[in-house]
Amino acid sequence: MSVLGIDEITFAASDLTRCKQFFTDWGMRLVSESAQTLVFETLNGCRVIAADPVSPGLPPGLEADPTVREVVWGVQDEATFQRLGQAMRNQPGFMQTTDRFGCTDPNGLAVRVQVSRKKEVAPACAQTNTWSQRTRLNQPSPTYERAEPIEVGHVVFFVTDLATVSPFYEDLLGFVISDRYPGRGHFLRCAPEGGHHDLFLLQTPEARKGLNHVAFTVRDVHEVFGGGMHMSRCGWETELGPGRHPISSAIFWYFNSPAGALWEYYTDEDELTAAWQPREFTPGPTVFAEWAIKGGIDGHTRRQINAAAPSGRFMTDKPKG
Ligand SMILES: [Fe+2]
């Protein structure tokens, strides 16, 4: 198929100093910096940009800053790039440069495509031993002092007209519906084979436009916890998490971001094929999260890190009575 995933995302935010600290603590690498722009990369080269709202050339936002101004989707090859460019040609806001085509989606967001610049990575990930499958042999499971996200895995937008925004992504870019809240939300993946969702469009009764969250894929469940606790230790505020989504099966942790809305660490989402049949759900807290911790986990929970040297006693070794 055609679109592979998110290659780049640009936020407009006036407090670049705070964004720089948040992005760094989040686990991304700063690749370039100017007075008005910060360019960070995740492990596989997915770019996350924070720009001062006065920067020239920024597309308009769906809501007041800070928020996302542009999403660039990576495609697999030049032929796909040219084909999608042609398809965009009659859309509002059509633009073209030597390496990008773009237009404005029906919700008002600047959407771009480019031949993907992300690189293949194969980071070591935890193997999970279950009762029936013992794949991790003679090997401890990893712990993480902090996260190093692999890529931006999905974005979630509030839309005012799901019935027109969803077909834009399905018909123009080839996205496929994975699951639905009928009339209220569509989970979309870029192609029939892939992770549960690359895009979630959410229509709330308040009929607002904007960013709900941006989600970063990490290696495994341990990195969600390690990354989340590091962010907590750095003083960043948890919105919700850790927790687990029943719809995609993913383990998550959401933080409030100075670049806008929420940022999520997640892992272990369902992998789907063309055989998957979309399900329908009714919105509600237990559909959103099977379980979740409201205030996060204290970043100093792993008390042994700050404790005195081993004393020969276990932490659970308490006198009776
Ligand atoms: Fe998410």
Side-chain angles (χ1 to χ4, degrees):
M1 265 303 285
S2 49
V3 177
L4 301 174
I6 296 161
D7 246 41
E8 182 178 297
I9 187 164
T10 298
F11 296 83
S14 52
D15 194 343
L16 291 184
T17 304
R18 200 163 155 77
C19 285
K20 184 178 179 182
Q21 188 62 53
F22 185 89
F23 289 22
T24 302
D25 292 340
W26 194 250
M28 297 190 294
R29 187 170 66 92
L30 180 66
V31 293
S32 71
E33 180 177 10
S34 70
Q36 291 188 329
T37 311
L38 303 168
V39 180
F40 279 79
E41 281 188 2
T42 63
L43 206 60
N44 73 355
C46 181
R47 292 202 154 194
V48 180
I49 298 170
D52 190 302
V54 301
S55 304
L58 269 184
L62 302 175
E63 60 188 334
D65 294 323
T67 192
V68 162
R69 294 289 193 96
E70 181 183 78
V71 176
V72 181
W73 297 92
V75 306
Q76 62 186 15
D77 53 32
E78 179 69 22
T80 307
F81 172 63
Q82 293 296 338
R83 179 170 59 78
L84 292 180
Q86 279 300 323
M88 285 180 159
R89 203 162 282 275
N90 296 322
Q91 295 293 322
F94 176 75
M95 58 77 73
Q96 176 178 3
T97 63
T98 52
D99 52 10
R100 277 186 190 170
F101 289 108
C103 64
T104 307
D105 81 8
N107 203 40
L109 178 76
V111 177
R112 311 287 182 244
V113 292
Q114 68 181 18
V115 176
S116 180
R117 298 173 192 169
K118 292 193 292 195
K119 51 185 186 271
E120 291 283 331
V121 291
C125 303
Q127 298 291 315
T128 298
N129 287 342
T130 65
W131 181 261
S132 56
Q133 288 190 311
R134 309 294 171 108
T135 54
R136 197 181 74 248
L137 297 174
N138 302 322
Q139 183 188 3
S141 197
T143 60
Y144 296 86
E145 289 301 319
R146 52 181 302 171
E148 191 179 14
I150 297 167
E151 64 178 7
V152 176
H154 63 259
V155 286
V156 178
F157 291 104
F158 294 112
V159 302
T160 50
D161 190 2
L162 181 64
T164 59
V165 184
S166 186
F168 170 89
Y169 287 95
E170 295 168 64
D171 301 339
L172 198 78
L173 299 181
F175 286 25
V176 179
I177 292 181
S178 297
D179 284 316
R180 292 184 184 86
Y181 294 111
R184 300 284 300 279
H186 285 180
F187 294 94
L188 297 133
R189 60 191 190 278
C190 291
E193 296 202 357
H196 182 272
H197 56 280
D198 300 275
L199 176 69
F200 178 38
L201 303 171
L202 189 57
Q203 182 173 323
T204 60
E206 304 83 56
R208 63 173 285 206
K209 290 183 181 184
L211 174 67
N212 177 274
H213 71 267
V214 176
F216 292 73
T217 319
V218 296
R219 297 164 179 78
D220 50 53
V221 63
H222 310 298
E223 193 173 16
V224 172
F225 283 85
M229 286 195 289
H230 176 73
M231 292 299 283
S232 294
R233 280 193 293 274
C234 291
W236 300 107
E237 183 190 5
T238 289
E239 173 65 21
L240 187 72
R244 180 172 181 257
H245 291 306
I247 291 183
S248 66
S249 303
I251 299 288
F252 66 79
W253 195 332
Y254 294 92
F255 283 84
N256 289 299
S257 168
L262 307 173
W263 280 24
E264 175 189 13
Y265 288 128
Y266 79 102
T267 193
D268 197 22
E269 72 170 340
D270 295 326
E271 188 75 9
L272 307 184
T273 72
W276 176 259
Q277 295 298 313
R279 302 164 297 174
E280 296 189 346
F281 297 94
T282 302
T286 54
V287 182
F288 175 77
E290 176 202 15
W291 61 269
I293 297 171
K294 174 69 179 156
I297 299 176
D298 176 359
H300 297 284
T301 288
R302 284 187 293 164
R303 284 163 289 187
Q304 64 272 31
I305 284 179
N306 300 315
S311 64
R313 287 176 61 104
F314 293 100
M315 287 171 66
T316 51
D317 181 11
K318 300 224 168 73
K320 264 191 168 176

